[in-house]
Structures are given as structure tokens and as C-alpha cells.
């Protein structure tokens, strides 16, 4: 493990634990308001990470194509990546469905009255704005095409940036001489963004400490107790899926689980504390290349795409949450309805943005598909932020293992 990355990971872990302890102390001494004084540091940290995403994704995807050398090579990599995303997301939902049906966290849960009250106006509006399944899938595809690349960058539309970068890459591959200056600039830009990521990581312990204090000082454990069984179900499902992913990672990379977990400690802990796959992306890219030794061109392509559309944790979470809501409302779901949940949760996760709380918004697609009340989202709102931390960690882990998986095939193809 690179020395500086190792130190970063250790510092992040220490600051997370400290943040947790101090957050709880503030909560239980009724001093939660004090968080307001340090909160800006957490906001600045997330803003710094977000600042790098657009130039990094654009330059990385473009350079990954240049390094791959042909559009066909990209196509082959893309197919493997997308295949991996679909299969692992389906497996994640499957784990979720197994645990929620075994544990039945919503059966007998007396939460009915809280439903609507908890769903604040703004959230209710955003939730009901989500269309049906078909509109969502078509919407994602249509929205992936940018009408104005500058607009896509200004609005951090990562999928649009990826599409534009791929098109630029194809043009550059077919016109190597004309594109030479651009290729040089993009190569330099990419290196600069990675250097900037290293610099920002030095600030991560402070940012992460503040984020952790913020979460705990304002909610403590009270919400957790009421929904303990539900949270346990989600976390158990996520843990099983993470173990499965770790198994895939170790077999494809031919390294020990400890090696993988240590190498990915920094991005996983950052994902946990920021609840955003997108904000974590710069750190994920650095560690996958530097710690796991995955080839640059694979990491540069598979990670940004994965951060945007591959969300195993979110898919699992949505399936458990939907069935929990049905159980809490005493609504019996048939096998067909559970199969619909299986499919819609997988697709809704693709549509979810890689930002905090996005999974809760696309939940409405799953609930709508099987006719469950949208108000049910109010039942799980209180613990969403905490579960978001766990599911985002699994989302990022799934992206990392996907990169290992795709890279292992490319290694073979080259031999
Ligand atoms: N916060 C998650 C992520 O960024 C998305 C979600 O809300 O499930 O990966």
C-alpha cells in the first residue's frame, strides 16, 4: 500500500470514530446546535471533492479511450462493465428480498400514523414527481445525450459528460494528428486532477470528522431504536452482498480480501461519511489504480460509469424498504408483486443520482409499480441518512469490484 494513501486511510478512520463519539456526546448533552459552528468545514470538503468530478470524469474517459486505441476495445469493455452491473445489482436485490422475507421487519410495526406526517412538503413533491418505470428508463437514456456539453458540465450531469467524452474520444482516435494538442491537454488535465485529489485527501480527516459529528449530534440513536429491525435487515443484506463482492474481487484479482479492503479503505470510509458515490469518485479512482494495480484505462472508464449507474446498495435498500412498507401497512404482496419489486428496484437504482438521499426519491418508482402508498416513505425517512451511509459504501465497493472484474478479462485478452 502506498505510504501516503495508507496514512490517509488511517487518519480518516480515526477521525470517523472521533466524530462518532463527539457527535453522540453533543446529542446526549443537548448541544447538537454547536454543530452549526463546524458544519461549514464539512460542506467545504464535499464541495472540494465535487469540484474535481467534472474535469476528472471528462479527461479520464477521453484518455481511457485514447489508451484503449480503438472504439471496439471500448465497446468490449463497456459490454463487460454493463453486464457486471446488471448481474450484481440483481444479486443485491435478491439478498435484500431474502432477508426482508426472513426477518419480516415491518410485521406488527406500529408506525402507521407517522407516515404522512413525516413526509415533508418538499420531499412529497419530489417523490411524486417521479414518473413510472418506463418513463424513468427512457428518461435516463434520453437524458444521457447532452444538447450542450458546457451545460452538462455546468450542471454536473455525469452521464452526459461521459457520452460527450466518448464521442470526443472516437473523433480523436480517427483523427490522431489533428487531435494531438487536445490529447496532450487532456492527459495533463487528468494528471492535474489526480494530484489535486491527493491534496484534498489531506483535508479528508477534518471534513469527515465534521460530517460524522453532524449526523450523530442531530439524530443520536433515538430514530435508530424505533426502526432497529428494519435497519438490521438492510445492513445484513448489504453485508452479505459486500461479502459476495469481496469474493468476486479476491478471485478475479488473485489477492487476499485484506489486501483489497486495505487498499480501498479510503474510498469506502469516504463513501460512508459523505453518502455520495459521486463525491467519492476522485478518491476511488486514485486508490483503485494505485492500491489495487488496476490498469488506468479500465479504472478511468469503468469507475465514472459505475458511480453513475451501478448502485447495488441502493437497489437492495429499495427492495427491502418497499417490502417493509407493505408489511407495516399490512398489505400482502404476491410473488408476482415481489418479482416486480425485484425488477423495479434494480432499474430505480440506475436512475438514482450518486448524491445523498437519491435512493429515497427513486423509491417512488418501486412503490408505484406495485401500488404501495407513497406516504410509506415517511416511515423510513428518519433513518434514511444513516442507511444511506451503508448503501453508498456498498455502491462504491460494487464499482471497485466491477473495475477489478473487467480488468481481469482485459488482462486475459492481452495475453
Ligand atoms: N447516496 C447514494 C450514492 O451516492 C445514492 C442513494 O441515495 O442511494 O451512491
Amino acid at each position: 500500500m502506498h505510504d501516503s494513501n495508507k496514512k490517509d486511510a488511517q487518519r480518516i478512520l480515526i477521525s470517523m470514530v472521533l466524530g462518532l463519539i463527539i457527535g453522540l456526546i453533543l446529542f446526549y448533552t443537548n448541544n447538537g446546535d454547536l454543530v452549526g459552528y463546524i458544519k461549514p468545514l464539512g460542506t467545504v470538503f464535499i464541495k472540494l471533492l465535487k469540484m474535481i468530478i467534472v474535469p476528472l470524469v471528462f479527461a479520464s474517459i477521453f484518455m481511457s479511450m485514447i489508451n484503449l486505441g480503438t472504439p471496439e476495445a471500448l465497446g468490449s469493455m463497456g459490454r463487460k462493465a454493463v453486464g457486471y452491473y446488471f448481474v450484481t445489482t440483481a444479486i443485491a436485490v435478491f439478498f435484500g428480498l431474502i432477508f426482508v422475507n426472513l426477518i419480516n421487519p415491518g410485521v406488527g410495526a406500529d408506525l402507521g400514523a407517522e407516515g404522512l406526517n413525516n413526509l415533508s412538503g418538499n420531499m412529497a413533491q419530489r417523490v411524486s414527481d417521479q414518473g413510472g418505470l418506463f418513463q424513468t428508463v427512457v428518461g435516463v437514456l434520453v437524458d444521457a445525450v447532452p444538447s450542450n456539453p458546457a451545460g452538462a458540465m455546468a450542471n454536473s450531469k455525469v452521464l452526459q459528460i461521459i457520452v460527450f467524452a466518448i464521442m470526443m474520444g472516437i473523433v480523436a482516435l480517427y483523427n490522431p494528428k489533428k487531435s494531438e494538442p487536445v490529447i496532450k491537454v487532456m492527459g495533463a488535465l487528468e494528471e492535474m486532477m489526480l494530484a489535486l485529489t491527493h491534496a484534498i485527501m489531506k483535508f479528508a480527516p477534518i471534513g469527515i470528522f465534521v460530517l460524522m459529528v453532524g449526523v450523530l449530534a442531530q439524530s443520536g440513536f433515538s430514530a435508530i431504536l424505533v426502526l432497529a429491525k428494519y435497519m438490521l435487515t438492510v445492513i445484513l443484506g448489504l453485508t452479505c452482498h459486500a461479502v459476495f463482492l469481496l469474493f468476486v474481487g479476491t478471485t478475479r484479482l488473485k489477492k487476499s480480501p485484506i489486501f483489497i479492503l486495505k487498499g480501498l479503505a479510503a474510498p469506502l470510509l469516504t463513501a460512508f461519511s459523505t453518502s455520495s458515490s459521486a463525491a467519492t469518485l476522485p478518491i476511488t479512482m486514485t486508490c483503485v489504480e494505485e492500491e489495487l494495480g488496476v490498469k488506468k484505462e479500465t479504472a478511468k472508464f469503468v469507475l465514472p460509469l459505475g458511480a453513475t449507474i451501478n448502485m447495488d446498495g441502493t437497489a437492495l435498500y429499495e427492495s427491502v424498504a418497499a417490502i417493509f412498507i407493505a408489511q407495516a401497512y399490512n398489505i400482502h404482496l404476491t410473488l408476482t408483486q415481489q418479482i416486480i419489486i425485484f425488477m423495479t428496484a434494480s432499474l430505480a437504482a440506475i436512475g438514482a443520482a450518486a448524491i445523498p438521499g437519491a435512493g429515497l426519491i427513486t423509491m417512488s418508482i418501486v412503490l408505484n409499480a406495485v401500488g404501495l402508498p407513497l406516504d410509506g416513505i415517511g416511515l423510513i425517512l428518519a433513518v434514511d441518512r444513516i442507511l444511506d451511509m451503508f448503501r453508498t459504501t456498498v455502491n462504491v465497493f460494487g464499482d471497485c469490484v466491477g473495475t477489478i472484474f473487467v480488468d481481469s478479462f482485459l488482462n486475459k485478452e492481452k495475453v
Side-chain angles (χ1 to χ4, degrees), residues 274-278 307 310-311 313-315 317-318 352-360 384 388-389 391-393 395-396:
T274 59
S275 290
S276 168
S277 316
N310 180 45
M311 296 199 185
T314 302
Y317 164 80
E318 296 199 0
I355 54 170
L360 194 70
D384 184 69
D388 200 358
M389 300 164 94
R391 66 181 189 252
T392 306
T393 311
N395 287 348
V396 170

Side-chain angles (χ1 to χ4, degrees), residues 161-414:
I161 298 171
I162 292 177
V163 170
F164 182 61
I166 291 178
M167 289 183 181
M168 288 274 286
I170 294 177
V171 173
L173 285 175
Y174 283 115
N175 303 280
K177 266 231 130 59
K178 275 187 192 157
S179 321
E180 219 178 280
V182 175
I183 295 175
K184 277 201 179 133
V185 170
M186 295 286 242
L189 181 65
E190 192 202 358
E191 293 298 329
M192 286 172 68
M193 287 307 122
L194 290 176
L196 202 51
T197 307
H198 277 296
I200 293 171
M201 269 172 82
K202 300 282 168 254
F203 181 57
I206 300 176
I208 284 174
F209 169 78
V210 174
L211 292 172
M212 288 302 290
V213 174
V215 172
L216 284 142
Q218 276 151 6
S219 61
F221 277 138
S222 45
I224 298 181
L225 290 179
V226 184
L227 290 161
K229 222 173 160 191
Y230 159 67
M231 291 182 74
L232 188 79
T233 313
V234 175
I235 293 171
L236 263 177
L238 289 173
T239 310
C240 267
H241 189 63
V243 171
F244 160 73
L245 289 173
L246 192 58
F247 172 74
V248 176
T250 35
T251 35
R252 299 308 307 182
L253 194 65
K254 300 193 173 60
K255 292 272 194 233
S256 75
I258 303 288
F259 174 86
I260 296 184
L261 290 177
K262 268 191 171 171
L264 295 178
L268 295 182
L269 294 172
T270 310
F272 187 76
S273 33
T274 59
S275 290
S276 168
S277 316
T280 313
L281 183 61
I283 300 180
T284 317
M285 287 177 81
T286 335
C287 287
V288 166
E289 285 173 24
E290 292 175 4
E291 299 303 323
L292 304 187
V294 167
K295 277 194 295 306
K296 281 194 167 158
E297 55 267 37
T298 319
K300 280 180 211 161
F301 181 76
V302 181
L303 283 176
L305 192 63
T308 322
I309 62 172
N310 180 45
M311 296 199 185
D312 296 0
T314 302
L316 185 151
Y317 164 80
E318 296 199 0
S319 63
V320 173
I323 294 191
F324 170 77
I325 289 170
Q327 291 174 347
Y329 277 90
N330 221 345
I331 299 171
H332 174 74
L333 292 174
T334 60
L335 184 64
T336 320
Q337 279 175 311
Q338 295 227 15
I339 293 173
I340 294 176
I341 290 181
F342 177 84
M343 293 187 317
T344 48
S346 309
L347 293 169
I350 297 176
I355 54 170
L360 194 70
I361 304 294
T362 57
M363 266 295 297
S364 61
I365 297 167
V366 185
L367 298 180
N368 265 334
V370 284
L372 287 171
L374 288 187
D375 300 343
I377 292 180
L379 298 179
I380 52 173
L381 207 57
V383 290
D384 184 69
R385 180 66 179 82
I386 294 168
L387 290 179
D388 200 358
M389 300 164 94
F390 288 93
R391 66 181 189 252
T392 306
T393 311
V394 173
N395 287 348
V396 170
F397 191 43
D399 299 337
C400 296
V401 173
T403 317
I404 296 174
F405 180 83
V406 174
D407 199 54
S408 68
F409 284 104
L410 296 185
N411 277 338
K412 267 193 196 154
E413 278 170 13
K414 282 194 176 161

